[in-house]
Amino acid sequence: MAEKNKKLRHVGFIMDGNGRWAKKRNKPRTFGHKKGADAIIDVLEECFDSGVEVVSLYAFSTENWSRPKDEIDTIFDLLGTFLKKYSKKLFEKKSRLVISGDLSPVSKELRERCERLMADTAHFTDHVLNIALNYGSRVELVRAFNSLKDKQGDITEEDISGALYTKGLPDIDLVVRTSGEMRLSNFFLWQCAYAEYYFTDVLWPDFNKEQTKKAIEWFYSRNRRFGGIENA
Ligand code: FPP
């Protein structure tokens, strides 16, 4: 249901292609993840400066546990380092951190850092950074349905939306997936029901402010076309 001149409130990024980026340079996959983590800062800045309210990042899926242990450890280390570095920005920009996913299997240190930062930024309303960590949309939906099973009367869409990790956030308007793959990969299936999908061959470590701007411009051009006759 794309609407004419719909405002871009929520962008979701499926950050794909770190491994291929590294392989092209004869480097280990972990090097690609490091560069991928570095790329996030500029992408967030461009989104928030362009008026986007919520950015969701797919950092680690429930399926990613099948990767080699050193790669998993690197991704979690990068997340910890990123949160340490980015926490200052969250306060500066009055941005709330949301972590979507089950934190119970991650290290105590990372879990506590996430929980502390979520609690300390919970009152901010200017922007939201939502990180999908040990996240899978089907698991999220099952968890939501189970939490509603004792509800009296019919379950509504609002009940389900309110039982997801993204409770209170607007639906995703734009999904950006890098590296040429055209799949949703269990990324916020419920929240993406009306999203536009932007696929680019650019590998995530090369995704930058310019690329972000292009995706945002594409979203607005797409919605204008969908709305039919301008000024009607
Ligand atoms: C997909 O590329 C990327 C991931 C599974 C991990 C994404 C993680 C980061 C960018 C770093 C940590 C996150 C944050 C929020 C600081 P891939 O490894 O599947 O690439 P490939 O398809 O080329 O192998």
Side-chain angles (χ1 to χ4, degrees), residues 44 48-49 52-55 86-98 117-130 169:
L44 290 177
F48 292 147
D49 286 353
V52 171
E53 293 162 43
V54 186
V55 174
Y86 202 72
S87 59
K88 199 165 159 244
K89 269 268 182 311
L90 288 172
F91 285 92
E92 253 173 48
K93 298 256 178 195
K94 297 189 171 40
S95 304
R96 176 156 74 98
L97 175 72
V98 172
L117 210 44
M118 279 195 281
D120 290 349
T121 60
H123 59 293
F124 289 140
T125 53
D126 284 10
H127 304 283
V128 178
L129 171 60
N130 173 37
L169 303 183

Side-chain angles (χ1 to χ4, degrees), residues 135-151:
Y135 173 86
S137 191
R138 287 188 172 188
V139 171
E140 179 189 37
L141 286 165
V142 170
R143 178 178 171 270
F145 299 153
N146 278 319
S147 77
L148 294 168
K149 68 179 186 289
D150 295 327
K151 183 187 180 261

Side-chain angles (χ1 to χ4, degrees), residues 49 56 59 77 81 97 104 175 186 194 217:
D49 286 353
S56 290
D77 282 353
T81 308
L97 175 72
S104 57
V175 175
N186 212 5
Y194 299 112
E217 281 168 8

Side-chain angles (χ1 to χ4, degrees), residues 2-207:
E3 293 155 30
K4 188 178 171 190
N5 297 328
K6 184 181 176 190
K7 186 179 181 307
L8 178 54
R9 298 183 67 194
H10 187 169
V11 186
F13 289 97
I14 303 178
M15 307 180 288
D16 204 358
N18 294 346
R20 276 163 283 167
W21 187 92
K23 197 171 171 215
K24 273 174 132 181
R25 289 159 179 81
N26 291 316
K27 300 275 191 192
R29 294 177 55 80
T30 47
F31 184 69
H33 292 312
K34 166 137 195 9
K35 290 294 171 186
D38 292 345
I40 292 170
I41 311 272
D42 277 352
V43 172
L44 290 177
E45 188 162 279
E46 185 62 36
C47 285
F48 292 147
D49 286 353
S50 305
V52 171
E53 293 162 43
V54 186
V55 174
S56 290
L57 300 174
Y58 210 175
F60 192 87
S61 77
T62 44
E63 288 76 33
N64 287 151
W65 291 105
S66 61
R67 295 189 177 215
K69 187 175 179 312
D70 74 309
E71 185 173 341
I72 296 173
D73 289 346
T74 299
I75 294 175
F76 287 153
D77 282 353
L78 288 168
L79 261 155
T81 308
F82 169 83
L83 289 175
K84 219 188 283 176
K85 220 161 66 182
Y86 202 72
S87 59
K88 199 165 159 244
K89 269 268 182 311
L90 288 172
F91 285 92
E92 253 173 48
K93 298 256 178 195
K94 297 189 171 40
S95 304
R96 176 156 74 98
L97 175 72
V98 172
I99 302 284
S100 292
D102 175 14
L103 287 177
S104 57
V106 308
S107 73
K108 187 166 177 275
E109 193 192 349
L110 180 59
R111 187 171 62 247
E112 286 179 356
R113 175 163 299 149
C114 291
E115 285 165 353
R116 205 173 323 119
L117 210 44
M118 279 195 281
D120 290 349
T121 60
H123 59 293
F124 289 140
T125 53
D126 284 10
H127 304 283
V128 178
L129 171 60
N130 173 37
I131 300 180
L133 173 51
N134 188 25
Y135 173 86
S137 191
R138 287 188 172 188
V139 171
E140 179 189 37
L141 286 165
V142 170
R143 178 178 171 270
F145 299 153
N146 278 319
S147 77
L148 294 168
K149 68 179 186 289
D150 295 327
K151 183 187 180 261
Q152 300 285 312
D154 291 345
I155 290 172
T156 64
E157 287 194 17
E158 288 70 29
D159 290 330
I160 295 171
S161 293
L164 301 175
Y165 290 114
T166 51
K167 175 182 178 170
L169 303 183
D171 277 350
I172 294 181
D173 302 301
L174 171 65
V175 175
V176 175
R177 184 166 189 154
T178 54
S179 87
E181 306 294 347
M182 296 187 193
R183 290 188 295 274
L184 202 45
S185 301
N186 212 5
F187 180 71
F188 296 110
L189 304 177
W190 177 273
Q191 298 88 333
C192 287
Y194 299 112
E196 300 283 338
Y197 296 88
Y198 181 85
F199 299 107
T200 169
D201 288 338
V202 173
L203 302 175
W204 178 258
D206 289 329
F207 203 81

